[in-house]
Amino acid sequence: MKVVLEKYHGLGNDYLVFDPNKNTLKLSQENVKLICDRHFGVGSDGILEGPILEKEKMEVRIWNPDGSIAEKSGNGVRIFAKYLKDAGYVQKTHVTLSTLAGDVDVQYLNEEGTRMKASMGKVSFWSDEIPVSGERREVVNETMIFGKIPYRVTCATVGNPHCVIFLNEISKDIVCRIGKNSENASYFPERVNTQIMRVIDRQNIEIEIYERGAGYTLASGSSGCAAAAAAYKQGLTDSKMYVKMPGGTLEIEILDDWTVLMTGDVGFVGTMQLGNTLVEQLRALE
């Protein structure tokens, strides 16, 4: 049995596309963890399974490298849209993808499909929608304690949960130290993605990211959307801005109804066929 994967990245946030229409392997939590392992498997920040053609829309299932399922991924939806164009599933200039968090409309901005604008849906700061524990409220500029240290945070959802922390200095070390405590903190019943953010000016912010189920990542589309919305919510930026991450920059626009538009690039890495020994290990974990 052959297993073929396509590898892409969105600003250094790398995903493997697993097309169930071309592979007979059934993905599970354990074999996803092995595939994503950077030493014993292929290595990636997650797997995009699809297109799942049971419905009228193009459905994608987003796997985190720990084998859990993510509701939505900003880089993931752009990568998957690029794959659909490369594989001939889509010939139009746009596509609607179905995710666990709802539909995402993606517009191709060039013929190659390497640059796209995605409508990520409406951002919400309401605690019961993110979710955040406690009474129903907008979680804006609230104090939370991670690792015995208090931080001022704003929490948001664009289909998946985010905790944004405003700091004057940001780095990989800082976000990893905070993220290891915040991801599974009791405030967040479904865990949380963590961003530390520095506001540069009204059109530019900078973030570092610790993703739920993945750890430190070079870029995250949904994290960029949440951080931008948090900055705009508190009047620190304009509605259009650039979000700078270690892997690259996204353009974010927040509309009057709080719909978030995300524009960014996608790169194709290559096609790979897994070796027989690894395939046998994966089949044993189905």
Side-chain angles (χ1 to χ4, degrees):
M1 179 181 71
K2 293 182 179 180
V3 175
V4 177
L5 303 168
E6 312 283 343
K7 189 165 188 176
Y8 294 80
H9 75 89
L11 309 180
N13 187 202
D14 59 335
Y15 276 90
L16 297 165
V17 177
F18 176 92
D19 191 332
N21 306 295
K22 300 178 181 179
N23 293 292
T24 57
L25 179 73
K26 183 177 180 181
L27 293 184
S28 67
Q29 180 178 9
E30 292 303 317
N31 63 25
V32 164
K33 288 168 65 176
L34 178 55
I35 293 170
C36 292
D37 190 286
R38 296 192 183 275
H39 303 285
F40 297 101
V42 177
S44 74
D45 287 328
I47 294 177
L48 306 171
E49 182 183 5
I52 299 168
L53 301 174
E54 297 174 356
K55 303 176 183 179
E56 294 182 1
K57 298 171 184 175
M58 295 284 187
E59 182 179 354
V60 57
R61 182 175 294 123
I62 304 165
W63 294 85
N64 290 318
D66 68 351
S68 61
I69 299 288
E71 300 92 345
K72 187 184 288 187
S73 164
N75 287 327
V77 296
R78 295 200 323 279
I79 287 171
F80 191 67
K82 167 65 171 161
Y83 170 73
L84 292 177
K85 189 174 183 67
D86 290 348
Y89 286 104
V90 175
Q91 288 80 38
K92 298 179 181 180
T93 58
H94 62 87
V95 63
T96 299
L97 304 179
S98 177
T99 74
L100 281 179
D103 292 347
V104 178
D105 295 318
V106 181
Q107 178 185 359
Y108 300 102
L109 299 181
N110 59 15
E111 187 174 347
E112 298 80 16
T114 57
R115 187 164 181 81
M116 282 161 274
K117 177 183 285 189
S119 178
M120 292 289 287
K122 294 183 180 181
V123 65
S124 171
F125 303 95
W126 288 101
S127 58
D128 57 330
E129 296 177 7
I130 297 169
V132 178
S133 62
E135 73 281 359
R136 188 174 192 268
R137 68 205 185 278
E138 284 197 312
V139 187
V140 176
N141 197 26
E142 185 173 305
T143 298
M144 292 185 179
I145 298 173
F146 306 125
K148 299 182 180 180
I149 300 174
Y151 297 94
R152 299 297 291 179
V153 310
T154 293
C155 297
T157 177
V158 284
N160 55 353
H162 296 271
C163 174
V164 184
I165 302 171
F166 297 78
L167 297 174
N168 293 325
E169 176 187 353
I170 66 173
S171 70
K172 176 181 178 180
D173 288 343
I174 295 172
V175 78
C176 287
R177 185 175 68 245
I178 297 172
K180 289 174 182 177
N181 291 289
S182 58
E183 178 183 1
N184 296 290
S186 59
Y187 303 107
F188 310 114
E190 296 180 11
R191 300 190 293 168
V192 79
N193 301 289
T194 303
Q195 302 89 43
I196 57 174
M197 175 172 63
R198 184 174 73 90
V199 177
I200 300 171
D201 55 39
R202 295 198 65 83
Q203 289 82 39
N204 295 274
I205 63 174
E206 182 181 14
I207 64 172
E208 291 274 4
I209 306 150
Y210 192 93
E211 284 197 288
R212 176 186 59 165
Y216 180 77
T217 53
L218 295 177
S220 165
S222 63
S223 293
C225 293
Y232 181 58
K233 177 74 169 178
Q234 297 185 61
L236 301 174
T237 62
D238 298 336
S239 59
K240 297 181 182 180
M241 72 195 80
Y242 294 96
V243 180
K244 303 177 187 297
M245 298 168 282
T249 301
L250 288 173
E251 297 177 31
I252 303 295
E253 180 179 0
I254 302 166
L255 304 182
D256 291 343
D257 66 352
W258 288 94
T259 295
V260 183
L261 305 180
M262 170 192 65
T263 301
D265 298 328
V266 167
F268 175 60
V269 177
T271 302
M272 57 200 70
Q273 180 178 322
L274 303 188
N276 292 336
T277 301
L278 179 56
V279 170
E280 289 175 5
Q281 291 176 307
L282 294 171
R283 290 188 65 183
L285 295 170
E286 284 185 334

